[in-house]
Amino acid sequence: MSALVSAVMPCFNAARFLDAALDSLLRQTHVELEVVAVDDGSTDATAAILERRARFDPRIRVVRLERNQGIVAALNRGLDEARGAFIARLDADDVALPERLAVQLEFLHQHRLDLCGSWFVEFGQGLARITRWPHAEAAVKAGLLFQNPLCHPTVLARRQVFERHRYREEYRLSEDYDLFSRASAGFRLANVPRALTRYRRHPGQATQARREAMEAVARRIRLETLARQGFAPTAEEQRLHNLIRAPASIDRLDDLHGIERWLGTLLAAHADPDARQVIASQWLRACIRAAPLGGRMWRAWRNSPLRAAAGAGRGVDLDLRALTLLRLDYAGAAFFWLRRLGLSA
C-alpha cells in the first residue's frame, strides 16, 4: 500500500536502547516513512544520537524540546510535526519487526479499520513470550471496559484519528487508554493477531515505576468507558468493576461473588461472541486476584458459568489451582515473577 507513514517516537534519556529502536523503523519493508523523534529535554546522549542518525538518514526528523515536558506533550508535539497519512507509534526502548508497517497497513485496508495495534513479544525480564490481546473489533471494544487492549507502541492509525483526538495531560500515565476509549466511539479499532513489535520490559518503565498512580487514572477511564458504551452502574457496581483489574488482591468472598454478578450483567448486554468471551475472561482475572481466598476462590471459579464462557482450558485450571494452594498476593514479588516466567493465567 502506497502511503507516507509518520512514526512518532518520544525520547527521554533513551540513549541505551535508541539505536535499536531507530534501526527497526528504518529497516521496515514499507519504504514511505518518516521518523518524528521528539527529544523531551533529555540529559543523556539521546540528543547526540538523534542528531548523528539524522545527518545520515533524511527520514529521521528531530524535534527538540528545551526542557522535559512529559510524555503527553512530547506525543502531541510529534503529532503536530507528522506529515503522513498514517501515524505509527513506537517507544524508544522497543523494536518493530521489519514487516510491521506493511502488515498493519494492509490489515487496516482489508478490514476497513481506522486504527490497529498488534500482538507483541514481551522481553527483557523473564522469558520472552508472545502476548495475545483481544484482536477482533468487538473484542477490543469490550476490552476497553476493563483496561487498554491496544499496546500503545504497536499502534498504527489513520491521521484523522489523531486530528480528532489528542492526548490529554490530565490522563497522564494512561493517556493512551483514554485516547483509544474516546476514539472507539467514532472510529473502528482492532488488533492484528500477529506479533509485530518487541516490547521491552525494564524497571524504568512507567508501567512498573508508577503503578499505583496509573491505576488511579485507569479507574476513572473505566467508568467513563462504561458510560460511553451506554452502561449506568450503581456506585457499588462501579467499585466492583474497578476491582476486576486492580493491581491488588481480592480478599473478600462477597466481592468475588459481586464481581461475578456484575460480569453476568455485562455479558447479557452483548451478543457478539468475541465481546462475550472477553467479558467472561475477566472472571479469570478476578479469581487470580482472589488467590488469598484459597479453596473458596477455587470453588467459586469452578462453579461459575463464566468459566465455560471464558473458554479457559486445563492449563488455566492448573495455574489457578496452584495460586489457590500458594494463596499468593497479587501485588507480591512471587506473583510478579511467576508471570514473567510464563504463568498461563
Side-chain angles (χ1 to χ4, degrees):
M1 183 176 180
S2 177
L4 178 64
V5 175
S6 297
V8 174
M9 179 188 291
C11 309
F12 176 65
N13 289 348
R16 183 180 176 189
F17 305 119
L18 183 53
D19 275 314
L22 289 170
D23 286 342
S24 76
L25 288 172
L26 298 174
R27 293 170 182 166
Q28 289 293 301
T29 58
H30 180 81
V31 296
E32 293 183 74
L33 170 74
E34 66 169 5
V35 179
V36 182
V38 182
D39 177 14
D40 186 20
S42 297
T43 56
D44 66 355
T46 294
I49 293 170
L50 290 175
E51 290 168 7
R52 171 176 56 81
R53 296 297 298 264
R55 283 198 301 271
F56 291 98
D57 196 319
R59 291 176 294 174
I60 300 174
R61 298 172 52 218
V62 180
V63 179
R64 172 75 175 172
L65 303 183
E66 293 303 319
R67 59 178 179 83
N68 178 243
Q69 298 182 34
I71 184 69
V72 171
L75 284 167
N76 284 332
R77 180 62 184 277
L79 294 176
D80 290 338
E81 297 289 337
R83 298 180 294 204
F86 295 86
I87 309 293
R89 279 281 294 109
L90 189 72
D91 287 335
D93 52 1
D94 296 327
V95 176
L97 299 188
E99 68 278 15
R100 173 190 153 178
L101 296 181
V103 169
Q104 287 187 290
L105 285 167
E106 177 59 27
F107 190 77
L108 282 183
H109 177 71
Q110 180 181 355
H111 296 279
R112 298 182 179 180
L113 298 167
D114 300 299
L115 180 151
C116 69
S118 75
W119 292 350
F120 53 96
V121 177
E122 292 185 74
F123 73 107
Q125 287 182 315
L127 300 176
R129 64 175 185 172
I130 295 177
T131 298
R132 298 172 173 88
W133 282 357
H135 59 90
E137 183 179 358
V140 167
K141 189 166 185 176
L144 284 164
L145 292 169
F146 304 97
Q147 66 168 17
N148 183 8
L150 296 150
C151 182
H152 196 192
T154 74
V155 160
L156 173 81
R158 300 183 190 276
R159 183 181 189 88
Q160 291 86 341
V161 175
F162 290 109
E163 286 178 338
R164 188 178 302 179
H165 298 287
R166 307 286 281 186
Y167 296 98
R168 301 195 292 189
E169 183 63 39
E170 60 267 36
Y171 291 86
R172 188 166 57 90
L173 296 177
S174 290
E175 66 281 338
D176 50 342
Y177 183 12
D178 167 57
L179 189 149
F180 300 148
S181 175
R182 288 181 285 123
S184 69
F187 293 100
R188 300 185 61 193
L189 284 58
N191 275 316
V192 179
R194 176 176 166 185
L196 297 173
T197 297
R198 289 175 56 81
Y199 178 77
R200 191 186 306 271
R201 291 282 189 183
H202 58 87
Q205 288 173 303
T207 49
Q208 296 190 43
R210 304 189 65 183
R211 199 172 185 184
E212 289 185 8
M214 180 179 294
E215 173 60 18
V217 180
R219 286 196 295 268
R220 176 180 174 187
I221 299 169
R222 289 189 198 109
L223 300 184
E224 290 174 351
T225 305
L226 281 168
R228 203 168 277 128
Q229 295 191 23
F231 295 98
T234 65
E236 175 62 7
E237 288 169 338
Q238 291 177 29
R239 184 185 72 84
L240 292 168
H241 187 81
N242 271 318
L243 277 180
I244 296 169
R245 299 307 294 252
S249 289
I250 296 170
D251 54 14
R252 293 180 55 210
L253 188 61
D254 285 350
D255 283 342
L256 189 60
H257 286 314
I259 287 170
E260 182 183 14
R261 290 190 296 272
W262 170 239
L263 288 174
T265 299
L266 292 177
L267 198 67
H270 288 80
D272 184 274
D274 292 316
R276 288 175 61 84
Q277 195 278 329
V278 167
I279 292 166
S281 71
Q282 306 307 312
W283 177 236
L284 167 62
R285 309 304 171 190
C287 287
I288 289 171
R289 286 158 175 77
L293 293 174
R296 292 177 294 169
M297 177 275 278
W298 177 250
R299 288 188 291 274
W301 161 253
R302 293 283 294 180
N303 294 332
S304 175
L306 292 170
R307 174 175 171 266
R314 180 171 173 78
V316 169
D317 277 350
L318 290 173
D319 283 345
L320 270 185
R321 189 60 172 158
L323 290 176
T324 297
L325 295 172
L326 294 170
R327 295 176 178 254
L328 287 183
D329 178 3
Y330 184 80
F335 185 83
F336 174 86
W337 283 108
L338 276 176
R339 291 196 66 199
R340 296 278 68 78
L341 292 170
L343 179 73
S344 64

